[in-house]
């Protein structure tokens, strides 16, 4: 993976996102909080079952943080592979892109809606330049002169 992108990023582009390894302090903190919460649940409920159950629920809630995700983009669209399951989408289904640092949210809706958080793709890119590049692809594909392509 090349960490130094310039404005001329070439397709296809592939990378693996693993936030827990990219920010080890946050990873350790998340594990500590999960263990403390699970231990607290086990004591409070007086059952090891509830401790294990709470650990499982909290871990699954943060699974995208702990388990790596593989991304690849090309001129046709984007592919995401997580836990052996691939999800593929054409660029034309995305109407908007929001950038937040290294992350880009790809929305299938032209206006903001409550269901967007369930239908949109949250893509953790290798750096902010890659996020801007993906957002530019969405803007270019949705410009009035390219809608017929």
């Amino acid at each position: 993976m090349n960490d130094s992108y310039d404005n001329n990023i070439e397709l296809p582009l592939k990378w693996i996102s693993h936030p827990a390894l990219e920010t080890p302090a946050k990873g350790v903190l998340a594990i500590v909080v999960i263990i403390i919460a699970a231990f607290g649940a086990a004591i409070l409920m007086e059952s090891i079952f509830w401790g294990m159950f709470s650990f499982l629920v909290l871990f699954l809630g943060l699974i995208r943080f702990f388990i790596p995700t593989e991304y690849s983009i090309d001129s046709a669209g984007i592919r995401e592979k997580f836990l052996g399951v691939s999800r593929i989408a054409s660029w034309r289904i995305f109407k908007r892109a929001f950038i937040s640092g290294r992350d880009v949210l790809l929305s299938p809706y032209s206006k903001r809606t409550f269901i967007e958080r369930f239908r949109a793709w949250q893509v953790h890119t290798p750096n902010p330049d890659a996020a801007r590049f993906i957002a530019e692809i969405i803007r270019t594909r949705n410009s009035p002169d390219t809608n017929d392509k």
Side-chain angles (χ1 to χ4, degrees):
M1 176 172 52
N2 184 358
D3 287 329
S4 60
Y5 289 95
D6 57 11
N7 292 335
N8 298 319
I9 297 174
E10 294 183 19
L11 295 177
L13 179 63
K14 295 180 181 185
W15 71 95
I16 295 176
S17 171
H18 195 187
L21 286 183
E22 294 167 9
T23 54
K26 289 180 182 179
V28 169
L29 180 63
I31 290 171
V32 168
V33 168
I34 290 172
I35 290 172
I36 290 172
F39 186 70
I43 290 174
L44 185 67
M45 302 301 280
E46 298 178 357
S47 170
I48 191 76
F49 168 78
W50 289 111
M52 291 187 302
F53 179 75
S54 64
F55 181 88
L56 181 66
V57 168
L58 292 171
F59 181 79
L60 290 176
L62 294 174
I63 198 161
R64 291 262 181 186
F65 179 76
F66 290 115
I67 307 296
T69 304
E70 180 183 324
Y71 294 99
S72 62
I73 62 173
D74 58 24
S75 60
I78 185 166
R79 177 181 169 266
E80 173 189 78
K81 187 174 181 182
F82 179 71
L83 292 176
V85 177
S86 290
R87 185 167 73 148
I88 301 169
S90 170
W91 292 123
R92 63 181 148 72
I93 72 162
F94 300 115
K95 307 297 184 226
R96 290 180 314 156
F98 296 103
I99 300 170
S100 176
R102 291 174 43 185
D103 293 340
V104 60
L105 180 76
L106 304 176
S107 175
Y109 302 105
S110 57
K111 294 182 181 177
R112 194 166 194 172
T113 177
F114 73 93
I115 201 166
E116 184 172 57
R117 69 182 340 189
F118 303 105
R119 297 281 317 275
W121 285 40
Q122 181 76 32
V123 180
H124 186 70
T125 63
N127 60 43
D129 289 338
R132 286 190 294 274
F133 179 71
I134 292 171
E136 187 60 33
I137 290 173
I138 302 301
R139 285 187 204 99
T140 302
R141 299 282 174 163
N142 289 322
S143 66
D145 57 338
T146 60
N147 279 341
D148 56 350
K149 293 183 181 178

